[in-house]
Amino acid sequence: MSSPHNAANVGEIAERILLPGDPLRAKYIAENFLEGAKLYTDIRNVYGYTGKYKGVEVSVQATGMGIPSFSIYVYELIHTYGVKKLIRVGSCGGMHKNVKIRDVLIAQGATTDSSIVHQVFGGAVNYSLISDFDLLEKAVANARKLKLPVKVGNVICTDRFYNDYGDVNGIFGDGKRSLNEKLVQYGILAVEMETAALYLLAAEGNVQGLGIFTVSDHLLTHEEVEPRERENSFNDMIKIALETVIE
Ligand code: HPA
C-alpha cells in the first residue's frame, strides 16, 4: 500500500526521518550521509530515500515549500507510514540581531500567521506550537558534542514569503514600527514557512517533531547565502539532525 503523494510501500520508510523542503537537498543528504540509500518515491520529483546512518535506518523525505505542501507529506508519513521521529532540516531568514547568516538555529517553538491552529481548535484556545523536548535536548547536546554553536528559540512561520511585515506602514505596522520589529522585540529569531505545521501534526499524531535551520538570508542586514550553497553546504545542521534522530 502507498499513499496519494508517496510511492513508498508501508515498511519502506523508516520511523526516523529528516525533512528538507528541497528535493535536491533530500538527494544530497541521501547520497552524502546515508549508506545504501534507496529512492522510494519520486512522485512530482519530490524525492524520498531510506538508508542507514551509523547502522540505524533513517529516511529523508522532501516536502516542498510552505505549510500546505509540507502538511500533505508529513500527515501521510505519520498516519500511513508510522513515522515517529521527524526533524525538519531547512533554511530560514534571520531576523534578530544576534542571528547571523550560516548560523544553525533550533526552533523551540513556532509562532504562526497561518490559520492551521484556528482550523483545528476554532477560537477556543491559542494552542502553543512547541518542539518535542526530548529531541530538542538531544539536538542541543549533539551540537555541543560536535562543537557546533546553535541558537535556540522561537521562530515565525509565515504563509506568505512576500509580505509587508517589514514595512512600518504595512497592515500590522503602526507607522513607527513594523510587525517584524515587534516580533523581534518578543524574541523571534527567524522566519520560515513549515515548522508550525510540523509541531501541530506531531502533537496530533503523538509523535516527535523538531525544526533545525541554517540562516540563508537576513532581513536586517540583507546578506544572503548563494542558492547553490543552500543546496550543498548545510552539513553542520544535517550532522546534528542525524545524530539526534538515531538516538
Ligand atoms: N522568509 C521565509 N522563509 C524563509 C526565508 C525568508 O526570508 N528564508 C528562508 N526561508
Side-chain angles (χ1 to χ4, degrees), residues 86 106-111 117 126-136 153-155 195-204 207-211:
L86 303 95
I106 302 179
Q108 182 178 14
T111 297
V117 172
N126 292 314
Y127 182 79
S128 295
L129 298 165
I130 59 170
S131 56
D132 178 78
F133 183 70
D134 175 55
L135 287 182
L136 175 63
N154 203 349
V155 298
T195 298
L198 175 59
Y199 293 174
L200 188 63
L201 289 168
E204 185 220 13
V207 298
Q208 297 177 267
L210 183 70

Side-chain angles (χ1 to χ4, degrees), residues 174-232:
D174 61 10
K176 297 194 191 87
R177 189 165 73 155
S178 68
L179 176 62
N180 279 346
E181 288 170 299
K182 190 166 184 177
L183 289 168
V184 167
Q185 187 209 328
Y186 280 74
I188 296 290
L189 300 177
V191 56
E192 57 84 61
M193 300 184 70
E194 294 83 14
T195 298
L198 175 59
Y199 293 174
L200 188 63
L201 289 168
E204 185 220 13
N206 193 25
V207 298
Q208 297 177 267
L210 183 70
I212 309 184
F213 321 94
T214 53
V215 181
S216 59
D217 54 283
H218 202 292
L219 275 58
L220 281 186
T221 63
H222 305 291
E223 288 175 280
E224 276 183 27
V225 183
E226 290 301 311
R228 199 150 285 283
E229 219 186 315
R230 283 192 200 191
E231 200 180 293
N232 292 325

Side-chain angles (χ1 to χ4, degrees), residues 85-118:
K85 284 183 198 262
L86 303 95
I87 301 186
R88 163 163 155 67
V89 283
S91 63
C92 66
M95 289 171 64
H96 204 280
K97 66 176 181 345
N98 296 345
V99 164
K100 311 275 178 279
I101 62 164
R102 297 187 191 82
D103 276 358
V104 176
L105 302 189
I106 302 179
Q108 182 178 14
T111 297
T112 189
D113 62 8
S114 162
S115 67
I116 51 172
V117 172
H118 198 268

